[in-house]
């Protein structure tokens, strides 16, 4: 059984990162490289936050941009520097190790790998730099005193997406599109299916995974997402939920072109600038407060009390949720009421959401 040095949930301060800052997430590289204080004064002495992006990189209007939002907020609030670095195509674990080592050698603290693919690299580099705090998002396998495993109850947010989809559909026929066929994305599908069937046990649910591995582009290919969405709409689905990163932009585009509902993921995709022309058809988004996780880890290091072990976000802590910023969604009072009730039932322990 894995031992956890400290198990935490997100602080309320971190929750505020998710929606507002995400709308401003841009595509330029940040490298302000300033420091605040020194060891002798007892203040933070690092060079700033090091952030290494997952597949798809910054500008995905979803997972990576959510991390960037927390990065920006921490830089500004704590007056520290920062450097964010992009992945390369077809890169290896050795490439990730080199990227993290460069950040460590440059003095960044904390250093965060955005995505489970950084697991092996974080494990290796953290062992070489025990005085630096490392964070990894969506992975709980790295056990070390200087590593925070920042994970989420994605299935809870997906349950709310399923409730919304089942209440909004006019055909009792909805769809799920996952980026890559892996256990992490199975959690999204499991929660979505359970939530939808809680509304209508006989609802028809299309399901498709774009690729078997991330290297095949499941999280980074809008064209694959669009093709899958077109197929599900042709099959009769009229509400589509994606958990596919950058590929999800294609899902949303397809839904908008067919005047169907799409449900976004990770960040409030209704608020994303690159999706503005489709936002009328974004019913809502299953939120995962990746930005809050990045912000909270940075805060813990600046405060001199770095987090380690499992840091898990759920509905009760605000680590996951459902975005309701689309006025058309807000006007659907029956849908809103059903989602709100489902959320409270999960928080109260009346509903336990499946993960597979």
């Amino acid at each position: 059984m894995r031992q956890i040095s400290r198990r935490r949930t997100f602080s309320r301060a971190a929750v505020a990162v998710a929606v507002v800052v995400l709308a401003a997430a841009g595509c330029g590289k940040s490298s302000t490289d300033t420091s605040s204080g020194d060891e002798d004064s007892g203040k933070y002495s690092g060079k700033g936050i090091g952030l290494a992006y997952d597949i798809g990189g910054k500008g995905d209007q979803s997972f990576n941009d959510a991390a960037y939002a927390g990065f920006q907020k921490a830089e500004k609030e704590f007056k520290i520097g920062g450097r964010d670095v992009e992945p390369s195509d077809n890169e290896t674990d050795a490439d990730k190790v080199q990227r993290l080592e460069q950040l460590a050698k440059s003095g960044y603290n904390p250093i965060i790998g955005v995505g489970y693919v950084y697991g092996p690299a974080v494990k290796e580099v953290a062992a070489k730099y025990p005085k630096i705090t490392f964070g990894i998002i969506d992975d709980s396998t790295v056990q070390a005193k200087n590593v925070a495993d920042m994970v989420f109850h994605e299935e809870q947010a997906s349950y709310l997406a399923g409730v919304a989809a089942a209440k909004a559909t006019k055909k009792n026929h909805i769809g799920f599109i996952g980026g890559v066929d892996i256990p992490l994305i199975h959690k999204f599908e499991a929660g979505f299916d359970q939530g939808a069937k809680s509304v209508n046990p006989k609802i028809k649910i299309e399901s498709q995974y774009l690729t078997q591995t991330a290297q095949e582009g499941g999280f980074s290919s809008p064209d694959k997402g669009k093709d899958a969405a077109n197929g599900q709409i042709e099959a009769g689905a009229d509400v589509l939920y994606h958990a596919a990163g950058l590929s999800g932009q294609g899902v949303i585009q397809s839904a908008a072109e067919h005047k169907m509902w799409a449900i976004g993921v990770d960040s409030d995709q209704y608020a994303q600038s690159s999706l503005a022309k489709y936002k009328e058809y974004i019913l809502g988004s299953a939120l995962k407060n990746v930005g809050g996780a990045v912000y909270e880890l940075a805060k813990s290091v600046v405060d001199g009390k770095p987090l380690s072990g499992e840091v898990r976000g759920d509905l009760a802590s605000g680590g996951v949720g459902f975005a309701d910023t689309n006025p058309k969604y807000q006007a659907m009072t029956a849908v809103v009421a059903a989602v709100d009730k489902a959320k409270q039932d999960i928080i109260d322990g009346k509903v336990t959401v499946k993960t597979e």
Side-chain angles (χ1 to χ4, degrees):
M1 194 73 173
R2 180 172 178 265
Q3 297 297 311
I4 297 172
S5 54
R6 266 186 287 174
R7 188 179 187 279
R8 303 291 182 96
T9 55
F10 293 106
S11 71
R12 294 292 177 184
V15 173
V17 177
V19 177
V20 177
V21 183
L22 276 170
C27 298
K29 178 167 288 188
S30 172
S31 184
T32 51
D33 294 351
T34 59
S35 61
S36 176
D38 54 55
E39 291 181 2
D40 292 337
S41 67
K43 295 181 180 180
Y44 174 74
S45 59
K47 196 170 185 179
I49 313 163
L51 192 70
Y53 293 115
D54 195 2
I55 295 165
K58 190 162 58 177
D60 66 354
Q61 304 292 316
S62 183
F63 184 65
N64 288 294
D65 279 359
Y68 180 60
F71 171 88
Q72 282 187 304
K73 180 176 173 64
E75 274 191 310
K76 181 178 180 180
E77 185 167 321
F78 307 130
K79 295 180 172 55
I80 57 176
R83 183 180 179 193
D84 57 329
V85 289
E86 299 280 357
S88 57
D89 294 335
N90 301 314
E91 67 180 22
T92 64
D93 282 343
D95 294 323
K96 293 180 178 64
V97 168
Q98 183 179 34
R99 182 176 302 126
L100 298 184
E101 284 191 333
Q102 287 176 343
L103 291 170
K105 288 176 182 177
S106 297
Y108 292 97
N109 187 20
I111 296 170
I112 301 168
V114 184
Y116 70 92
V117 293
Y118 277 96
V122 167
K123 183 177 181 180
E124 180 176 336
V125 181
K128 296 178 182 179
Y129 296 89
K131 293 184 179 181
I132 293 177
T133 295
F134 290 79
I136 181 167
I137 295 171
D138 282 348
D139 182 89
S140 60
T141 64
V142 184
Q143 181 182 353
K145 291 181 179 180
N146 63 326
V147 176
D149 298 322
M150 299 181 287
V151 290
F152 302 83
H153 280 295
E154 295 93 349
E155 72 280 3
Q156 294 181 353
S158 295
Y159 184 99
L160 302 186
V163 170
K167 293 291 288 185
T169 180
K170 296 179 180 178
K171 298 181 178 181
N172 291 319
H173 193 168
I174 60 178
F176 170 80
I177 296 172
V180 180
D181 190 358
I182 53 174
L184 173 64
I185 306 303
H186 296 169
K187 290 174 67 180
F188 288 87
E189 181 183 15
F192 181 70
D193 286 1
Q194 186 182 348
K197 290 176 180 177
S198 75
V199 174
N200 177 5
K202 296 182 178 180
I203 195 168
K204 186 173 183 180
I205 306 175
E206 303 289 333
S207 179
Q208 182 175 348
Y209 288 87
L210 300 179
T211 63
Q212 293 298 305
T213 66
Q215 289 73 22
E216 295 171 279
F219 291 132
S220 57
S221 305
D223 58 327
K224 295 182 188 296
K226 187 173 184 180
D227 287 345
N230 286 341
Q232 292 195 355
I233 292 171
E234 185 176 343
D238 64 350
V239 184
L240 303 183
Y241 171 48
H242 83 86
L246 183 64
S247 300
Q249 292 192 18
V251 176
I252 292 170
Q253 181 181 354
S254 172
E257 289 175 353
H258 288 87
K259 301 187 186 308
M260 303 289 185
W261 285 121
I263 297 177
V265 78
D266 292 339
S267 65
D268 181 359
Q269 299 203 288
Y270 176 84
Q272 301 306 314
S273 58
S274 71
L275 297 172
K277 62 182 176 180
Y278 310 124
K279 69 179 185 178
E280 180 181 354
Y281 297 98
I282 301 175
L283 181 66
S285 298
L287 297 174
K288 184 159 72 171
N289 196 359
V290 175
V294 171
Y295 169 86
E296 182 160 295
L297 185 60
K299 183 178 187 300
S300 74
V301 173
V302 171
D303 288 346
K305 299 177 181 179
L307 292 170
S308 64
E310 186 178 289
V311 184
R312 183 173 292 276
D314 60 11
L315 280 177
S317 68
V320 300
F322 190 77
D324 60 358
T325 50
N326 187 342
K328 289 189 175 182
Y329 170 80
Q330 295 173 12
M332 300 165 70
T333 55
V335 180
V336 173
V339 171
D340 287 346
K341 183 180 185 303
K343 177 181 178 179
Q344 196 59 50
D345 284 347
I346 293 170
I347 292 173
D348 292 343
K350 294 178 181 179
V351 172
T352 301
V353 187
K354 299 175 183 177
T355 57
E356 58 182 5

